[in-house]
Amino acid sequence: FVSIGRLHSRKGYHKLIEAHKRLIDEGFHHSIVVIGDGGEMANLKAQAAQSNVEKTFILAGNQMNPYPYIKKADYFVLPSESEAWPLVIAEALILQKPIVATNVGDVGLMIKNRETGYLINYEVDEMYEGMKAFLTNPELVIHIRENLKNIESQFDNQKIFDSITEII
């Protein structure tokens, strides 16, 4: 899994560590790489160390170009408490990554639940369930990947402009 965001308490990375720890403890071997920096870096590092997951919950800091991380990942995760229209979701969709994301702000307009991603509430149990679904249900992942094949047309600027012009 990969995630990109500012390290702030509202971004939910502290909850993501808890969900990750549960999965690891239950034998679901995976890793999470978080790209970004912020005021919660020290707290998150301490929490990962205390949970004994610092080798699988990787706080990579800011990266000049985060796209290779998304491209190499199997999945994207957005555990935020609040968002507006997160560009990073559009970027992950265009790169055809199955996404587990909290259904906040406009995320539910960007992702169709269990069609182009997996929508959850801002709860540790739901983060755990969403990631576990990707790790254990290959049919779901294949279905989502199939639906992501032409997703970039959803973000075509001309198409968006034409739709707005038609509304006006």
Tab-separated table of all heavy atoms in Angstrom, residues 1 4 7-8 24 31 33 38 42 48 51 63 85 95 99 121 133 141 146 165:
chain	number	residue	atom	x	y	z
A	1	PHE	N	0.847	-1.178	0.000
A	1	PHE	CA	0.000	0.000	0.000
A	1	PHE	C	0.889	1.235	0.000
A	1	PHE	O	1.974	1.232	0.572
A	1	PHE	CB	-0.879	0.043	1.251
A	1	PHE	CG	-1.941	-1.010	1.293
A	1	PHE	CD1	-1.678	-2.259	1.829
A	1	PHE	CD2	-3.220	-0.768	0.798
A	1	PHE	CE1	-2.652	-3.239	1.887
A	1	PHE	CE2	-4.206	-1.743	0.851
A	1	PHE	CZ	-3.922	-2.988	1.393
A	4	ILE	N	-0.208	9.133	0.227
A	4	ILE	CA	0.487	10.410	0.087
A	4	ILE	C	-0.341	11.466	0.793
A	4	ILE	O	-1.549	11.580	0.551
A	4	ILE	CB	0.682	10.794	-1.398
A	4	ILE	CG1	1.539	9.737	-2.092
A	4	ILE	CG2	1.309	12.181	-1.525
A	4	ILE	CD1	1.687	9.940	-3.580
A	7	LEU	N	1.357	14.986	7.024
A	7	LEU	CA	1.268	14.247	8.282
A	7	LEU	C	0.639	15.143	9.343
A	7	LEU	O	1.309	15.872	10.056
A	7	LEU	CB	2.647	13.740	8.718
A	7	LEU	CG	3.363	12.849	7.709
A	7	LEU	CD1	4.650	12.308	8.289
A	7	LEU	CD2	2.463	11.725	7.211
A	8	HIS	N	-0.683	15.060	9.399
A	8	HIS	CA	-1.499	15.835	10.332
A	8	HIS	C	-2.492	14.861	10.947
A	8	HIS	O	-2.888	13.877	10.307
A	8	HIS	CB	-2.230	16.949	9.560
A	8	HIS	CG	-3.010	17.867	10.418
A	8	HIS	ND1	-4.267	17.554	10.882
A	8	HIS	CD2	-2.720	19.094	10.906
A	8	HIS	CE1	-4.713	18.550	11.625
A	8	HIS	NE2	-3.786	19.498	11.649
A	24	ILE	N	-1.009	-7.287	10.321
A	24	ILE	CA	0.296	-7.940	10.502
A	24	ILE	C	0.182	-9.024	11.573
A	24	ILE	O	0.648	-10.153	11.383
A	24	ILE	CB	1.388	-6.908	10.874
A	24	ILE	CG1	1.675	-5.972	9.685
A	24	ILE	CG2	2.663	-7.582	11.366
A	24	ILE	CD1	2.363	-6.609	8.498
A	31	SER	N	3.101	-4.125	3.405
A	31	SER	CA	3.741	-2.911	3.923
A	31	SER	C	2.949	-1.704	3.447
A	31	SER	O	2.187	-1.777	2.485
A	31	SER	CB	5.197	-2.812	3.464
A	31	SER	OG	5.266	-2.742	2.060
A	33	VAL	N	3.735	2.404	2.656
A	33	VAL	CA	4.690	3.499	2.506
A	33	VAL	C	3.883	4.795	2.483
A	33	VAL	O	2.971	4.941	1.672
A	33	VAL	CB	5.523	3.363	1.214
A	33	VAL	CG1	6.440	4.569	1.038
A	33	VAL	CG2	6.324	2.065	1.219
A	38	GLY	N	5.187	16.455	7.962
A	38	GLY	CA	4.307	17.327	8.721
A	38	GLY	C	4.540	17.172	10.206
A	38	GLY	O	5.398	16.403	10.658
A	42	ALA	N	6.994	12.798	14.116
A	42	ALA	CA	7.600	12.197	15.319
A	42	ALA	C	6.600	11.292	16.035
A	42	ALA	O	6.957	10.184	16.461
A	42	ALA	CB	8.111	13.285	16.254
A	48	ALA	N	4.553	3.796	15.426
A	48	ALA	CA	4.978	2.639	14.630
A	48	ALA	C	5.994	1.800	15.405
A	48	ALA	O	5.914	0.565	15.410
A	48	ALA	CB	5.545	3.091	13.290
A	51	SER	N	4.287	-0.014	18.226
A	51	SER	CA	3.475	-1.105	17.680
A	51	SER	C	4.331	-2.190	17.025
A	51	SER	O	3.803	-3.187	16.534
A	51	SER	CB	2.484	-0.559	16.649
A	51	SER	OG	1.613	0.375	17.248
A	63	GLN	N	8.902	13.455	-1.018
A	63	GLN	CA	9.645	12.955	-2.166
A	63	GLN	C	9.409	13.916	-3.322
A	63	GLN	O	8.286	14.363	-3.531
A	63	GLN	CB	9.177	11.546	-2.546
A	63	GLN	CG	9.363	10.519	-1.451
A	63	GLN	CD	10.811	10.292	-1.095
A	63	GLN	OE1	11.680	10.225	-1.963
A	63	GLN	NE2	11.092	10.209	0.203
A	85	TRP	N	-11.615	17.819	-2.511
A	85	TRP	CA	-11.510	17.024	-3.726
A	85	TRP	C	-10.041	16.643	-3.827
A	85	TRP	O	-9.236	17.392	-4.376
A	85	TRP	CB	-11.948	17.832	-4.944
A	85	TRP	CG	-12.182	17.023	-6.182
A	85	TRP	CD1	-13.361	16.443	-6.565
A	85	TRP	CD2	-11.221	16.699	-7.199
A	85	TRP	NE1	-13.185	15.789	-7.752
A	85	TRP	CE2	-11.887	15.912	-8.165
A	85	TRP	CE3	-9.865	16.951	-7.379
A	85	TRP	CZ2	-11.260	15.411	-9.294
A	85	TRP	CZ3	-9.238	16.455	-8.500
A	85	TRP	CH2	-9.934	15.706	-9.450
A	95	LEU	N	-3.526	6.248	-12.467
A	95	LEU	CA	-2.472	5.227	-12.487
A	95	LEU	C	-3.041	3.830	-12.255
A	95	LEU	O	-2.295	2.865	-12.109
A	95	LEU	CB	-1.395	5.558	-11.459
A	95	LEU	CG	-0.555	6.789	-11.807
A	95	LEU	CD1	0.358	7.171	-10.651
A	95	LEU	CD2	0.261	6.545	-13.079
A	99	ILE	N	-8.043	1.558	-4.699
A	99	ILE	CA	-7.930	2.497	-3.589
A	99	ILE	C	-8.878	2.113	-2.467
A	99	ILE	O	-10.048	1.841	-2.709
A	99	ILE	CB	-8.287	3.926	-4.051
A	99	ILE	CG1	-7.345	4.386	-5.155
A	99	ILE	CG2	-8.270	4.906	-2.879
A	99	ILE	CD1	-7.794	5.668	-5.847
A	121	ASN	N	-15.629	4.227	6.224
A	121	ASN	CA	-15.772	5.312	7.184
A	121	ASN	C	-14.447	5.519	7.887
A	121	ASN	O	-13.555	4.662	7.838
A	121	ASN	CB	-16.880	4.989	8.196
A	121	ASN	CG	-18.250	5.021	7.560
A	121	ASN	OD1	-18.588	5.952	6.839
A	121	ASN	ND2	-19.034	3.989	7.800
A	133	ALA	N	-9.737	-6.844	2.580
A	133	ALA	CA	-10.466	-7.237	1.369
A	133	ALA	C	-9.526	-7.275	0.160
A	133	ALA	O	-9.572	-8.214	-0.641
A	133	ALA	CB	-11.631	-6.289	1.111
A	141	VAL	N	-10.284	-7.326	-6.433
A	141	VAL	CA	-9.174	-6.523	-6.969
A	141	VAL	C	-9.179	-6.561	-8.498
A	141	VAL	O	-9.033	-5.519	-9.151
A	141	VAL	CB	-7.818	-6.990	-6.394
A	141	VAL	CG1	-6.666	-6.286	-7.077
A	141	VAL	CG2	-7.774	-6.774	-4.888
A	146	GLU	N	-10.150	-3.872	-13.571
A	146	GLU	CA	-10.814	-3.876	-14.877
A	146	GLU	C	-11.582	-2.568	-15.083
A	146	GLU	O	-11.536	-1.972	-16.156
A	146	GLU	CB	-11.756	-5.085	-14.958
A	146	GLU	CG	-12.219	-5.411	-16.346
A	146	GLU	CD	-11.107	-5.822	-17.303
A	146	GLU	OE1	-10.107	-6.444	-16.899
A	146	GLU	OE2	-11.244	-5.489	-18.496
A	165	THR	N	-20.051	23.641	-19.667
A	165	THR	CA	-20.629	24.537	-20.674
A	165	THR	C	-22.077	24.150	-20.964
A	165	THR	O	-22.945	25.012	-21.067
A	165	THR	CB	-19.796	24.489	-21.970
A	165	THR	OG1	-18.446	24.845	-21.671
A	165	THR	CG2	-20.348	25.423	-23.023
